[in-house]
Amino acid sequence: MKRTSLAALHEARGADWMDYQGWEIPACYSSVAQEYQALQEGVGLIDLSFRTRLRVTGRDRRSWLHGQVTQEINKLPDGRGAYATVLNPQGHMVSDLFVYAVPDALILDLPSGTATPMAEYLDRFLIMERAEIEDLTDSWSLLSLQGPQSPCALAVVLGEELSRLAPWDVVESQFEEEPLYVTRAAHCGEDGYDLFLPAEKAAALWAALCNHRPDFAVHSVGWEAFNVRRLEAGIPWWGEELDASLVPLEARLNHAISLTKGCYVGQEIIARIDARGQVNNLLTGFHVVGDTLPSRGTEIRHDGKKVGRVSTVLHSLRLDRPVALGYLRRELQDPGTRVEAVTDEGTVELEVTPLPFVPNDYPSEKE
């Protein structure tokens, strides 16, 4: 298991560790309830450096990446970001990703739990194009501020102009005379920013942000509280709801797809589905009836027939009840529909409910 460059800092703050997508990351520092409160009322400071970071340079970087992903890249201006997916020829997901256009480069932020490391996977499609892929995962860190007070904390530490970025904007700045990329990115239904910077400066930036804990309730947040809040916001994550078995439209990722751009890998499948007008299964929210929590992958049945599967089940702190995300047949999507998750101990009743479970106070970066 790998650890990020901030491992010693997390140890000093009393982190409990967990295994996640080939990394050992902080699950919790103090209590999930306190960290969740920081996300809702103050600022949650999260180390996302376990994610993969790539930098693509070269004259053909836009046209090459445009042909690999579902989103419009040729027309993405410098200073803006986009959410996209990478597909195989059968239209199934290889990964999702965030693309940020900066002068002379494209910065890619991807999950690390893909079947093939994404730098290696994408490099297979570089033939004659003048473009180069550089893996920044070990040399650069990714810190994230999530919560309603994030603009205030960012303004104090890095400057008022950065806190005024529009959603999806990205800008290059500096921290202690080293480059820093800042983008406004909301990952869990709250306002937020992602900060990309050289790994050797990450601890200093983390400390500078934590120094304002009394002013803006800046709190180190682990994966568990972060996961609860994003589940309430109805946002699918790779390795949880998203995997290689899916076509992105099943996960309601229509916003990651341009239907007017040119050719890309998997486009024929997406165009066929768009012409047909539907997929058979859709990402769905459920209220869990009772206290038994079905595990990931649990089969869902209706009238004795298999109609879906469970992906994530957690106790919502805002609703004080268990909720779940999963996939369900399109014809059963009406709110209030009752279905059953089949566990080893028996059946658990699930009730279809609209997403998000909790109203988002800020649009997701995927919206």
Side-chain angles (χ1 to χ4, degrees):
M1 287 290 171
K2 299 175 65 176
R3 285 187 172 186
T4 75
S5 64
L6 292 175
L9 181 149
H10 300 319
E11 287 276 15
R13 281 162 171 74
D16 291 328
W17 298 89
M18 63 178 283
D19 296 342
Y20 188 70
Q21 298 185 357
W23 291 74
E24 196 172 19
I25 66 171
C28 184
Y29 297 88
S30 52
S31 77
V32 173
Q34 288 178 344
E35 294 170 24
Y36 176 90
Q37 184 177 7
L39 291 171
Q40 284 215 300
E41 299 178 6
V43 183
L45 180 54
I46 307 162
D47 182 8
L48 295 182
S49 303
F50 60 87
R51 291 178 58 83
T52 297
R53 289 166 299 291
L54 306 178
R55 178 164 52 199
V56 184
T57 57
R59 184 185 68 186
D60 299 333
R61 64 187 183 277
R62 288 180 183 274
S63 58
W64 169 76
L65 188 63
H66 186 84
Q68 308 308 316
V69 303
T70 56
Q71 192 58 272
E72 173 67 62
I73 302 300
N74 280 336
K75 298 178 182 179
L76 185 67
D78 286 348
R80 292 290 292 168
Y83 179 63
T85 65
V86 179
L87 307 180
N88 66 18
Q90 292 72 44
H92 290 168
M93 294 181 67
V94 175
S95 181
D96 66 337
L97 74 160
F98 306 105
V99 182
Y100 298 107
V102 298
D104 302 321
L106 297 171
I107 305 296
L108 312 186
D109 171 22
L110 311 100
S112 47
T114 53
T116 303
M118 288 308 296
E120 176 186 334
Y121 181 88
L122 291 171
D123 188 63
R124 299 173 184 173
F125 297 93
L126 271 175
I127 314 256
M128 300 294 292
E129 297 87 354
R130 293 190 177 182
E132 295 183 356
I133 301 171
E134 180 184 4
D135 194 331
L136 303 178
T137 305
D138 293 332
S139 58
W140 280 61
S141 293
L142 172 56
L143 309 186
S144 190
L145 299 176
Q146 299 290 311
Q149 294 297 314
S150 295
C152 301
L154 191 73
V156 170
V157 175
L158 296 176
E160 181 69 32
E161 68 280 2
L162 295 181
S163 70
R164 294 176 180 171
L165 293 176
W168 284 107
D169 276 358
V170 59
V171 66
E172 182 176 1
S173 184
Q174 283 195 331
F175 177 73
E176 295 188 347
E177 300 182 349
E178 292 289 344
L180 168 73
Y181 293 111
V182 180
T183 180
R184 196 162 198 164
H187 296 304
C188 62
E190 308 288 348
D191 199 355
Y193 298 83
D194 282 350
L195 313 174
F196 300 81
L197 76 165
E200 62 269 20
K201 293 297 181 181
L205 180 54
W206 188 285
L209 291 163
C210 283
N211 285 340
H212 294 280
R213 180 173 182 176
D215 303 312
F216 307 116
V218 178
H219 201 298
S220 300
V221 169
W223 185 87
E224 291 180 352
F226 190 31
N227 190 29
V228 170
R229 186 63 191 97
R230 74 89 195 176
L231 179 67
E232 293 175 340
I235 300 171
W237 278 356
W238 187 266
E240 307 301 324
E241 285 67 50
L242 306 180
D243 58 42
S245 71
L246 294 169
V247 172
L249 295 173
E250 294 178 294
R252 303 182 187 269
L253 299 186
N254 307 60
H255 47 279
I257 300 170
S258 169
L259 296 174
T260 59
K261 62 173 287 185
C263 183
Y264 60 88
V265 178
Q267 182 193 28
E268 289 184 7
I269 305 300
I270 299 301
R272 191 180 309 157
I273 294 172
D274 180 59
R276 190 177 65 193
Q278 64 181 29
V279 290
N280 293 328
N281 301 289
L282 283 169
L283 181 71
T284 306
F286 303 96
H287 284 151
V288 180
V289 181
D291 297 323
T292 302
L293 304 185
S295 60
R296 174 178 172 79
T298 297
E299 184 177 293
I300 299 174
R301 294 181 185 174
H302 182 70
D303 289 339
K305 298 179 181 179
K306 181 179 177 180
V307 293
R309 60 182 171 89
V310 173
S311 56
T312 304
V313 185
L314 291 171
H315 189 88
S316 165
L317 296 182
R318 178 83 73 91
L319 301 178
D320 193 24
R321 67 173 300 168
V323 296
L325 285 175
Y327 289 88
L328 188 67
R329 296 283 301 182
R330 170 179 288 275
E331 61 268 22
L332 298 173
Q333 292 290 319
D334 290 341
T337 300
R338 295 288 182 105
V339 293
E340 294 179 334
V342 183
T343 71
D344 292 339
E345 292 76 26
T347 60
V348 178
E349 198 167 24
L350 306 176
E351 181 178 309
V352 175
T353 188
L355 294 173
F357 297 105
V358 173
N360 294 339
D361 295 321
Y362 196 82
S364 162
E365 74 277 46
K366 302 177 186 180
E367 293 178 350

